[in-house]
């Protein structure tokens, strides 16, 4: 158990819909990262937040957005969903903005039908 | 970040040492070697990292060649629970962005 929690575990929704994935980092960690893992693209970095501020952006689509709240939990919002958005979404956390180790949560499996 | 090359799959007998190679011939002087693993759709797990000296922790040992162009992750006594995809990642020290995962090595521990 990494100490990172993600909800929900599974999510099934239809194309065109919007969903919100939630992540609570390990106690004391200020940085949160979001990753997407699909069969064809592998594990891809989406976005990083540090202490409430966006820190780095990866391959995040414009239909996706994220935020980190004052209590340090983070939410990833996915809108206008397409079949290709079906994937595992992982959240990771680390103590600082730049550290050696990232601790990953168990993931949210999103299925778009 | 420098590119890495890993074999797509490897087998190892339970109880034996598993040696996972990684080639990173374009590594820069300020780049570290990190290893993570992912056990069947679980979140990736940090294993170890190093710059140029060999490193050991409770999970594994990391051997980096003197020219730093390749490295080996060693699981000293592999168990069935070590079956996973192992990712070798090269990046600058404490890089302030996301990790770049390749395809990794699927290590299968045989009973």
């Amino acid at each position: 158990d990494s100490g990172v929690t993600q909800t929900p575990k599974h999510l099934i929704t239809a194309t065109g819909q919007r969903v919100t994935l939630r992540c609570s980092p390990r106690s004391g960690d200020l940085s949160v990262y979001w990753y997407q893992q699909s069969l064809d693209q592998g594990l891809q970095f989406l976005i990083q937040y540090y202490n409430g501020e966006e820190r780095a952006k990866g391959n995040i689509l414009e239909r996706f957005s994220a935020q980190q709240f004052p209590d340090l939990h983070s939410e990833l919002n996915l809108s206008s969903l397409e079949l290709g958005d079906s994937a595992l979404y992982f959240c990771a956390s680390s103590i600082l903005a730049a550290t050696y180790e990232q601790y990953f949560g168990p993931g949210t499996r999103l299925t778009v039908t | 970040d420098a590119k890495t090359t890993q074999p797509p799959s490897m087998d190892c007998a339970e109880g034996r040492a598993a040696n996972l190679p990684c080639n990173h011939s374009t590594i820069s002087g300020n780049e570290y070697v990190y290893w993570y693993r992912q056990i069947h759709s679980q979140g990736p797990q940090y294993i170890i990292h190093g710059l140029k000296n060999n490193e050991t922790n409770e999970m594994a040992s990391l051997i980096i060649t003197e020219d730093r162009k390749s490295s080996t992750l060693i699981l000293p006594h592999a168990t069935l629970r070590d079956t996973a995809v192992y990712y070798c990642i090269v990046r600058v020290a404490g890089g302030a962005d996301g990790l770049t995962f390749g395809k990794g090595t699927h290590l299968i521990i045989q009973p």
Side-chain angles (χ1 to χ4, degrees), chain B residues 9-109:
Chain B
S9 65
M10 292 182 64
D11 286 351
C12 179
E14 189 177 18
R16 305 296 295 268
N19 296 279
L20 293 98
C22 180
N23 183 286
H24 31 79
S25 58
T26 61
I27 192 169
S28 301
N30 64 344
E31 288 182 314
Y32 280 65
V33 180
Y34 297 76
W35 284 84
Y36 281 76
R37 72 179 182 182
Q38 185 175 24
I39 299 171
H40 186 57
S41 296
Q42 296 179 21
Q45 178 188 24
Y46 165 82
I47 301 173
I48 198 167
H49 74 275
L51 181 63
K52 52 184 174 184
N53 297 320
N54 298 338
E55 302 288 345
T56 296
N57 63 20
E58 66 279 3
M59 287 184 68
S61 294
L62 174 60
I63 309 296
I64 303 174
T65 58
E66 197 165 331
D67 64 6
R68 304 211 320 123
K69 293 184 177 183
S70 65
S71 60
T72 302
L73 178 74
I74 301 172
L75 308 179
H77 305 287
T79 70
L80 298 178
R81 287 177 297 179
D82 292 320
T83 292
V85 178
Y86 287 77
Y87 298 97
C88 170
I89 299 168
V90 170
R91 69 194 303 239
V92 296
D97 56 13
L99 299 168
T100 300
F101 290 86
K103 295 189 185 303
T105 296
H106 187 194
L107 175 67
I108 300 170
I109 306 301

Side-chain angles (χ1 to χ4, degrees), chain A residues 54-70:
Chain A
E54 182 184 305
R55 176 83 176 186
K57 253 183 176 175
N59 299 322
I60 189 165
L61 299 172
E62 283 194 16
R63 300 184 285 109
F64 296 0
S65 65
Q67 53 184 327
Q68 187 178 28
F69 294 86

Side-chain angles (χ1 to χ4, degrees), chain A residues 8-14 17-21 36-38 63-64 76-79 81-90 107-113:
Chain A
K9 271 189 168 179
H10 302 277
L11 200 48
I12 301 174
T13 189
Q17 295 299 304
R18 173 190 167 95
V19 296
T20 297
L21 313 184
Q36 178 193 57
Q37 186 172 32
S38 60
R63 300 184 285 109
F64 296 0
L76 179 67
N77 300 295
L78 315 176
S79 62
L81 285 167
E82 302 175 359
L83 295 177
D85 297 327
S86 295
L88 267 169
Y89 291 84
F90 291 106
T108 292
R109 183 175 292 280
L110 173 66
T111 303
V112 182
T113 61

Side-chain angles (χ1 to χ4, degrees), chain A residues 35 37 45 48 98 100 102 104-105, chain B residues 34 36 38 43-44 94 96 98-99:
Chain A
Y35 291 82
Q37 186 172 32
F45 166 65
Q48 177 198 5
Y100 301 106
Q102 293 181 20
F104 285 76
Chain B
Y34 297 76
Y36 281 76
Q38 185 175 24
L99 299 168

